[in-house]
Amino acid sequence: MSHSNNDHNDNHGSHGSIKQYVTGLILSIILTIIPFGMVMMMDDPGVGVIWAIFGFAIAQVFVQLYFFLHLDGSKEQSWNVMALLFTLVIVAIVVGGSMWIMVELNQNMMPI
């Protein structure tokens, strides 16, 4: 059985180019420096800064998923996207359930 050169190239179709990796790296650095600068420049960062950092973190996740893990809406990536969504649901259940249990225990175990 011989493999043609075309078969070998098809296996690497989902890999990104150097330009895509450099773009992802630059965006990741920017999305890291801005929140860091926001915190370092303020004497007393408020709730707005925390929400801004949360927003930059979400943007960072999407940059990582798109530019480095190559997850997008294409048909080839549909199973990977479904696996990611399933993982996010499980993590949300575990984290949300843990927080709920801790809040309930805190309220029910406090002396009156």
Side-chain angles (χ1 to χ4, degrees):
M1 293 194 322
S2 67
H3 294 282
S4 69
N5 204 15
N6 193 17
D7 291 340
H8 181 70
N9 290 337
D10 288 343
N11 292 338
H12 299 290
S14 65
H15 294 296
S17 65
I18 296 295
K19 181 181 177 184
Q20 188 176 15
Y21 285 121
V22 170
T23 303
L25 176 65
I26 291 170
L27 286 173
S28 295
I29 290 170
I30 291 170
L31 290 171
T32 301
I33 289 175
I34 291 174
F36 181 78
M38 288 171 61
V39 171
M40 293 303 292
M41 297 295 178
M42 296 185 169
D43 291 333
D44 186 24
V47 175
V49 173
I50 292 171
W51 282 107
I53 291 171
F54 182 72
F56 280 107
I58 296 298
Q60 179 82 261
V61 167
F62 285 115
V63 165
Q64 299 287 326
L65 289 174
Y66 181 77
F67 286 101
F68 298 115
L69 295 177
H70 311 294
L71 288 182
D72 54 17
S74 67
K75 185 177 179 181
E76 296 85 22
Q77 292 292 327
S78 63
W79 283 108
N80 290 337
V81 172
M82 292 300 287
L84 175 68
L85 292 175
F86 178 73
T87 302
L88 291 176
V89 167
I90 297 300
V91 167
I93 290 171
V94 169
V95 170
S98 297
M99 294 299 293
W100 179 46
I101 289 170
M102 288 188 281
V103 167
E104 289 296 317
L105 283 175
N106 186 41
Q107 288 177 354
N108 291 329
M109 297 297 286
M110 293 297 292
I112 296 177

